[in-house]
Amino acid sequence: MIRAYQPNEVLDAMYWCSLLTFRRQQYDLFKLSESRINLHEQCSSRDHSGFDTIRSGQRINVKIMVPVVSVQKLKEEYSLGFKDEHDAK
Protein backbone atom coordinates (compact mmCIF):
# COMPACT_ATOMS: atom_id res chain seq x y z
CA MET A 1 0.00 0.00 0.00
CA ILE A 2 1.41 3.37 -1.03
CA ARG A 3 0.43 6.31 1.18
CA ALA A 4 0.37 9.94 0.03
CA TYR A 5 0.41 12.43 2.91
CA GLN A 6 0.26 15.59 0.77
CA PRO A 7 -2.10 16.39 -2.13
CA ASN A 8 0.90 16.91 -4.43
CA GLU A 9 1.99 13.29 -3.74
CA VAL A 10 -1.19 11.66 -5.07
CA LEU A 11 0.02 11.49 -8.68
CA ASP A 12 3.35 10.07 -7.51
CA ALA A 13 1.50 7.45 -5.44
CA MET A 14 -0.45 6.39 -8.53
CA TYR A 15 2.81 6.19 -10.47
CA TRP A 16 4.39 3.97 -7.80
CA CYS A 17 1.32 1.70 -7.69
CA SER A 18 1.48 1.10 -11.43
CA LEU A 19 5.26 0.63 -11.38
CA LEU A 20 5.10 -1.87 -8.51
CA THR A 21 2.40 -3.85 -10.30
CA PHE A 22 4.97 -4.90 -12.89
CA ARG A 23 8.28 -4.62 -11.01
CA ARG A 24 7.47 -5.64 -7.44
CA GLN A 25 10.52 -7.89 -7.05
CA GLN A 26 12.91 -4.97 -7.64
CA TYR A 27 11.79 -3.04 -4.54
CA ASP A 28 12.00 -4.00 -0.86
CA LEU A 29 8.82 -2.47 0.52
CA PHE A 30 9.01 -4.27 3.88
CA LYS A 31 12.33 -2.56 4.60
CA LEU A 32 10.76 0.87 3.96
CA SER A 33 7.37 0.22 5.56
CA GLU A 34 6.16 2.53 8.30
CA SER A 35 3.47 0.06 9.31
CA ARG A 36 1.86 -3.16 8.12
CA ILE A 37 -1.70 -4.30 7.61
CA ASN A 38 -2.65 -7.90 8.29
CA LEU A 39 -5.46 -9.16 6.09
CA HIS A 40 -7.37 -12.36 6.74
CA GLU A 41 -9.86 -13.54 4.15
CA GLN A 42 -11.93 -16.68 3.73
CA CYS A 43 -12.30 -17.65 0.10
CA SER A 44 -14.09 -20.36 -1.79
CA SER A 45 -12.60 -22.11 -4.80
CA ARG A 46 -15.86 -21.26 -6.60
CA ASP A 47 -15.05 -17.56 -6.21
CA HIS A 48 -11.50 -17.72 -7.56
CA SER A 49 -10.48 -19.64 -10.66
CA GLY A 50 -6.81 -19.57 -9.56
CA PHE A 51 -7.43 -22.29 -6.96
CA ASP A 52 -7.24 -25.22 -9.36
CA THR A 53 -5.82 -27.70 -6.84
CA ILE A 54 -8.63 -27.20 -4.30
CA ARG A 55 -11.86 -29.16 -4.54
CA SER A 56 -14.82 -27.20 -5.79
CA GLY A 57 -16.62 -25.34 -3.02
CA GLN A 58 -13.94 -25.94 -0.38
CA ARG A 59 -13.23 -22.92 1.87
CA ILE A 60 -9.66 -21.74 2.43
CA ASN A 61 -8.11 -19.10 4.68
CA VAL A 62 -5.79 -16.54 3.13
CA LYS A 63 -3.51 -14.44 5.34
CA ILE A 64 -1.51 -11.58 3.85
CA MET A 65 0.77 -8.96 5.41
CA VAL A 66 0.75 -5.73 3.40
CA PRO A 67 3.48 -3.10 3.93
CA VAL A 68 2.43 0.57 4.13
CA VAL A 69 5.04 2.82 2.51
CA SER A 70 4.92 6.59 2.08
CA VAL A 71 5.61 8.25 -1.26
CA GLN A 72 8.32 10.34 0.37
CA LYS A 73 10.16 7.24 1.63
CA LEU A 74 10.04 5.66 -1.83
CA LYS A 75 11.41 8.84 -3.40
CA GLU A 76 14.24 9.02 -0.86
CA GLU A 77 15.24 5.38 -1.28
CA TYR A 78 14.68 4.93 -5.01
CA SER A 79 15.19 8.16 -6.89
CA LEU A 80 13.78 7.41 -10.34
CA GLY A 81 13.99 10.91 -11.72
CA PHE A 82 10.25 11.46 -11.97
CA LYS A 83 10.31 13.88 -9.04
CA ASP A 84 12.29 16.38 -11.11
CA GLU A 85 9.82 16.05 -14.00
CA HIS A 86 6.85 16.99 -11.78
CA ASP A 87 8.72 19.82 -10.05
CA ALA A 88 9.76 21.33 -13.40
CA LYS A 89 6.15 21.76 -14.56
Side-chain angles (χ1 to χ4, degrees), residues 16-68:
W16 276 104
C17 286
S18 66
L19 178 72
L20 292 170
T21 299
F22 297 103
R23 298 185 180 174
R24 170 65 189 92
Q25 300 303 322
Q26 295 176 6
Y27 302 96
D28 186 0
L29 297 182
F30 281 98
K31 180 180 86 172
L32 299 176
S33 67
E34 54 195 40
S35 63
R36 295 181 179 140
I37 298 172
N38 291 314
L39 301 175
H40 181 218
E41 184 92 20
Q42 281 198 341
C43 301
S44 169
S45 60
R46 280 180 277 196
D47 302 334
H48 303 284
S49 60
F51 300 133
D52 296 333
T53 58
I54 299 172
R55 289 182 295 154
S56 180
Q58 185 176 359
R59 308 251 343 134
I60 61 167
N61 291 319
V62 178
K63 293 181 181 181
I64 303 170
M65 183 182 297
V66 180
V68 179

Side-chain angles (χ1 to χ4, degrees), residues 56-88:
S56 180
Q58 185 176 359
R59 308 251 343 134
I60 61 167
N61 291 319
V62 178
K63 293 181 181 181
I64 303 170
M65 183 182 297
V66 180
V68 179
V69 183
S70 70
V71 170
Q72 185 62 37
K73 197 74 162 171
L74 284 166
K75 285 181 178 181
E76 289 171 5
E77 186 71 20
Y78 304 107
S79 60
L80 297 177
F82 71 90
K83 179 183 178 211
D84 295 330
E85 289 176 20
H86 294 315
D87 292 342

